[in-house]
Amino acid sequence: MAFAVERTDEHVREYLTYRGFTNTLKHLDIEIKADKEKGFRVDKVIDQLLQFIHSFDLLGLKEYWIYLDRRLFSRLEDIYKSTVNKLRTSLYRYYVINTVQKGNLEKTQEFFQKQALELQGQPEWRDWFILPFIPSPEQNPTFSAYFSRQWADIFLVSLHNFLSVLFQFLNCVPPQPVLLSFDAEVQKMMSLVEENEQLRQIVRENTHQISEMLSLSVVRWEEFCILPVCFFLFFMCPPAFCSPDRKSGTERGRRNCPPQTTPEKKGDAGEVEPPADACSDVTDSSLTSKNGGGAAEGESLSVEQPFIKLSQEEYGEHHSSIMHCRVDCSGRRIASLDVDGVIKVWSFNPIIQTKATIMSKSPLLSLEWATKPDRLLLLGSGVGTVRLYDTDAKKNLYEMNIDETHPRILSLACSPSGSSFVCSAAAVTRPGYVEAAPRLPLPVFGKLLLWDTKTVKQQLQFSLEPDPVAVNCTAFNHNGNLLVTGAADGVIRLFDMQRYDSAMSWRAHDGEVYSVEFSYDENTVFSIGEDGKFIQWNIHKCGVKQSEQVLPNDATGPFVLSGYSGYKQVQVPRGRLFAFDSEGQHVLTCSNSGGIIYRLTNGEPALESVLSLGGHKAPVVTVDWCSAVDCGTCLTASMDGKIKLSTLLAQKC
């Protein structure tokens, strides 16, 4: 603050000189010289106090301290009054000790005479009135410590620190003159310049990586064109990587072969049909990576790859397994919850930075971002409460008591309008239940409730037929007119949110439904269940499958983390097990080593692996895909508390 005041004074002088206000400039210099606050410079204030002490100016010392008290100290809270009084007492003692050390007993007696009425009722001064009458006070046990150099240094340092903190506090307390804010603006501008430079460096590095990948693709294409027959095909067939269909790599390669029909005549010369085996060889060559290893887990540098992984960063502030990890609607903030009940709210653009940490005495089981405003976070506990947390103000706005008989809040979903949210509450089946145990066996009773976020009251309870079973997962469509749920009885229920009743329901999985989402066109829903199947359902025809794919065990759970000496940690699915890209053509799932991206097909198999994100040493238990920014960001969270952010660039023809 002192630096800002000094700089501002210089700018004001410069301005007055420029305008020719010489008289005003003279008065300003006079006022600055007489300034008792010394431009908020701590060293100058202490020098003024010491000047009064060494010149034995008791009246000046008292008046200056009273001015500081009225002008500065009075703005502090009441809890700091005792500190101010202790510093004033030490300042007066420093004055008295100085008079004794300098041998000016007259000033010593003058101090006690003038201050008698003020000090005689204070216990800390009771023994000091005999000081002028003691022959050698520096040897007296009561006063010897005050004559040491150590006590004087400690007092001056304490006073210096107190004033420094005080001036910093005053710099943060409004109202502040607009002129004094220039220093903060300069610092902000400098930080923005540094941040821009860091972003430019990241862009340079990513551009270099993309250039290398593209150059490798060009090399592969040149190899493709070496053979004469391939050179001929180059003019006859469209390149494989610009084919409009989304089929598998081998099928697409074969489609580039000329059709087995009579060739079209061009002038007098007929086209020669290439041998079928030559086309097959070319296809195999084009799908093989430069290192000769083929397309392993979708990480091939083949032209078929729909995404390029630009970078992968790690968020490591959690110290236990992650349960939920969700990005907000704007794509600016991420909320992550671990099994210890610790929630981290953090941002990743331009750099990873923790914004808030939420600790809870009661266990937390679920979280969901509000849609309007997107700074609000819904937190479901294991004791029947839902909290509405403001991530900007870093405080709880409301705490809603949902249901004491169904205390476990398994799932939360906020409507796109932001006016309400759906809450799934489940009962506790047995005493001493712990969250690390496998998912509750059937039957598990539960309720599905609709709450108003403005009135903070329950609107209604949905009917769960045939039995009131616990709902594990919930999701709205884009306008909030439909709600899909997956329950512990393996049944998917579709609710009409305009009439608030069940539109249809069907048994979807053998076992519990772990995760459910609407498709991109919202004509179907996808689900993952305890039976390890990833199924697409037609919502216009009850219980009709459009596709089905059996996923690996590490994609559906239960997730197992093994350690030394037979240690084994088992975690049932809690968070989102799959997430779609912005166009709904690709889906991200869990695995033991990182997320895996599949392409959705219309045939068999229903999923085609295109890219393995990797980067994890422990099983990934929940995922999310943020498409709110230009480059999509995939979130993969694992059982060791690590969260990976993989930035992808979509390759579009």
Side-chain angles (χ1 to χ4, degrees):
M1 184 175 183
F3 177 74
V5 171
E6 187 175 352
R7 287 281 300 275
T8 304
D9 291 343
E10 293 177 0
H11 289 309
V12 172
R13 285 194 184 96
E14 182 180 356
Y15 175 75
L16 294 177
T17 303
Y18 173 77
R19 294 296 305 274
F21 299 153
T22 55
N23 291 331
T24 306
L25 179 60
K26 291 179 181 179
H27 286 290
L28 175 65
D29 290 334
I30 294 173
E31 292 288 342
I32 290 177
K33 290 180 181 179
D35 178 26
K36 292 186 177 181
E37 296 172 3
K38 305 301 179 183
F40 296 100
R41 289 187 55 178
V42 178
D43 55 340
K44 294 293 184 181
V45 174
I46 293 180
D47 287 344
Q48 183 63 64
L49 291 172
L50 293 178
Q51 181 180 348
F52 287 131
I53 291 174
H54 293 310
S55 62
F56 308 109
D57 188 356
L58 178 61
L59 181 61
L61 181 65
K62 288 179 58 179
E63 290 180 349
Y64 191 58
W65 185 264
I66 292 173
Y67 173 83
L68 294 176
D69 189 24
R70 183 179 67 254
R71 187 82 170 85
L72 305 176
F73 304 152
S74 61
R75 302 176 66 178
L76 296 173
E77 298 179 5
D78 293 339
I79 59 175
Y80 298 107
K81 286 186 177 180
S82 60
T83 303
V84 174
N85 291 333
K86 289 179 181 179
L87 288 174
R88 183 189 60 182
T89 300
S90 297
L91 181 68
Y92 285 168
R93 287 178 177 176
Y94 189 88
Y95 175 86
V96 173
I97 296 300
N98 181 68
T99 60
V100 175
Q101 288 178 333
K102 297 295 179 62
N104 197 337
L105 296 180
E106 180 181 351
K107 290 295 182 180
T108 306
Q109 294 176 358
E110 178 191 18
F111 173 83
F112 287 105
Q113 289 174 359
K114 292 184 177 180
Q115 298 294 112
L117 294 177
E118 180 183 349
L119 303 179
Q120 62 184 358
Q122 301 180 15
E124 59 268 22
W125 286 98
R126 185 176 305 161
D127 298 333
W128 282 75
F129 284 93
I130 63 172
L131 183 65
F133 309 103
I134 298 178
S136 299
E138 65 275 4
Q139 298 178 1
N140 188 286
T142 304
F143 307 106
S144 58
Y146 298 98
F147 284 88
S148 65
R149 182 65 183 175
Q150 182 181 6
W151 179 86
D153 292 340
I154 292 175
F155 163 65
L156 293 176
V157 171
S158 300
L159 181 60
H160 186 282
N161 293 340
F162 176 78
L163 293 175
S164 298
V165 175
L166 173 63
F167 291 155
Q168 291 179 8
F169 166 76
L170 295 177
N171 189 33
C172 301
V173 176
Q176 282 289 329
V178 178
L179 283 176
L180 284 180
S181 64
F182 87 95
D183 189 57
E185 294 296 330
V186 169
Q187 296 296 329
K188 181 179 180 180
M189 186 61 66
M190 293 177 62
S191 65
L192 289 175
V193 171
E194 294 177 358
E195 183 178 308
N196 288 339
E197 185 58 34
Q198 293 176 0
L199 292 176
R200 289 193 186 97
Q201 184 63 27
I202 293 174
V203 170
R204 294 191 197 101
E205 295 175 358
N206 291 338
T207 304
H208 180 67
Q209 294 177 4
I210 295 173
S211 300
E212 290 182 350
M213 292 180 179
L214 293 178
S215 64
L216 289 175
S217 299
V218 171
V219 171
R220 296 303 306 141
W221 179 246
E222 290 175 351
E223 292 179 359
F224 181 82
C225 298
I226 291 176
L227 297 176
V229 64
C230 298
F231 184 81
F232 176 79
L233 292 176
F234 178 77
F235 294 95
M236 288 295 298
C237 303
F241 55 86
C242 290
S243 178
D245 59 327
R246 289 282 192 179
K247 300 299 181 181
S248 64
T250 304
E251 184 178 350
R252 289 177 61 183
R254 288 173 180 170
R255 281 173 178 245
N256 287 325
C257 301
Q260 306 295 324
T261 58
T262 303
E264 181 183 355
K265 297 274 180 112
K266 289 190 178 179
D268 295 332
E271 301 286 358
V272 179
E273 180 179 353
D277 56 345
C279 181
S280 176
D281 294 340
V282 172
T283 301
D284 294 340
S285 175
S286 66
L287 293 177
T288 305
S289 62
K290 186 70 178 174
N291 58 12
E297 294 187 333
E299 289 187 298
S300 163
L301 291 176
S302 145
V303 292
E304 303 293 332
Q305 188 170 329
F307 299 100
I308 295 177
K309 186 170 71 172
L310 298 180
S311 64
Q312 188 175 74
E313 300 176 274
E314 179 181 291
Y315 183 77
E317 294 296 318
H318 288 280
H319 303 290
S320 58
S321 180
I322 307 297
M323 293 174 61
H324 295 272
C325 183
R326 297 298 302 272
V327 62
D328 69 356
C329 301
S330 65
R332 296 183 295 113
R333 284 178 293 247
I334 297 172
S336 48
L337 165 65
D338 60 33
V339 296
D340 291 336
V342 178
I343 294 179
K344 298 283 186 179
V345 179
W346 45 288
S347 62
F348 61 93
N349 191 12
I351 59 174
I352 294 179
Q353 184 178 15
T354 301
K355 299 294 184 180
T357 300
I358 309 169
M359 309 290 289
S360 177
K361 295 181 180 179
S362 57
L364 295 176
L365 305 181
S366 55
L367 68 80
E368 175 70 10
W369 284 102
T371 51
K372 296 178 182 179
D374 60 5
R375 71 175 188 277
L376 301 182
L377 192 63
L378 291 167
L379 306 175
S381 73
V383 293
T385 61
V386 172
R387 281 189 286 167
L388 191 62
Y389 184 84
D390 191 326
T391 58
D392 286 348
K394 298 181 182 180
K395 65 178 182 180
N396 292 321
L397 299 182
Y398 303 104
E399 185 166 7
M400 294 154 272
N401 294 315
I402 304 300
D403 193 332
E404 294 182 355
T405 60
H406 298 78
R408 306 177 63 248
I409 311 301
L410 297 182
S411 178
L412 295 166
C414 189
S415 66
S417 65
S419 60
S420 61
F421 69 91
V422 169
C423 167
S424 167
V428 178
T429 57
R430 62 182 185 273
Y433 176 83
V434 294
E435 275 304 312
R439 227 184 234 276
L440 300 178
L442 294 176
V444 181
F445 295 106
K447 292 182 178 180
L448 187 64
L449 309 171
L450 181 67
W451 278 69
D452 191 303
T453 54
K454 295 181 180 179
T455 62
V456 200
K457 293 182 179 179
Q458 179 180 324
Q459 287 184 265
L460 60 93
Q461 177 178 342
F462 293 95
S463 175
L464 299 174
E465 299 294 340
D467 297 311
V469 70
V471 173
N472 294 329
C473 47
T474 53
F476 281 97
N477 70 334
H478 79 283
N479 57 12
N481 290 336
L482 294 176
L483 172 71
V484 63
T485 66
D489 58 358
V491 174
I492 290 179
R493 296 171 174 85
L494 190 68
F495 292 92
D496 184 345
M497 295 303 293
Q498 293 179 324
R499 296 184 299 168
Y500 299 115
D501 62 357
S502 176
M504 64 178 68
S505 63
W506 64 92
R507 184 166 184 81
H509 293 275
D510 295 330
E512 302 189 36
V513 181
Y514 285 156
S515 194
V516 64
E517 296 287 342
F518 279 96
S519 64
Y520 178 74
D521 59 10
E522 297 184 350
N523 289 319
T524 61
V525 294
F526 290 86
S527 63
I528 287 181
E530 191 176 4
D531 54 8
K533 295 179 180 179
F534 179 77
I535 306 178
Q536 183 181 13
W537 304 92
N538 191 325
I539 66 173
H540 303 294
K541 299 178 181 180
C542 183
V544 175
K545 296 180 184 178
Q546 287 200 191
S547 65
E548 179 179 330
Q549 178 80 33
V550 177
L551 295 176
N553 293 334
D554 57 359
T556 60
F559 305 102
V560 180
L561 179 63
S562 301
Y564 298 104
S565 304
Y567 168 80
K568 181 181 292 186
Q569 179 183 349
V570 180
Q571 180 174 329
V572 294
R574 292 296 179 194
R576 210 173 185 180
L577 295 185
F578 64 94
F580 294 106
D581 68 340
S582 60
E583 298 179 354
Q585 298 294 325
H586 298 84
V587 61
L588 171 66
T589 66
C590 304
S591 77
N592 279 336
S593 59
I596 296 180
I597 297 178
Y598 294 91
R599 179 188 292 116
L600 298 175
T601 67
N602 295 324
E604 292 293 336
L607 298 177
E608 176 190 350
S609 177
V610 296
L611 180 63
S612 176
L613 300 179
H616 284 276
K617 298 180 180 179
V620 172
V621 295
T622 183
V623 299
D624 202 0
W625 197 328
C626 170
S627 301
V629 292
D630 294 337
C631 291
T633 301
C634 293
L635 301 176
T636 53
S638 60
M639 294 184 68
D640 58 1
K642 307 299 182 184
I643 302 174
K644 298 289 185 177
L645 294 92
S646 303
T647 303
L648 306 181
L649 178 64
Q651 297 191 95
K652 299 181 181 180
C653 296

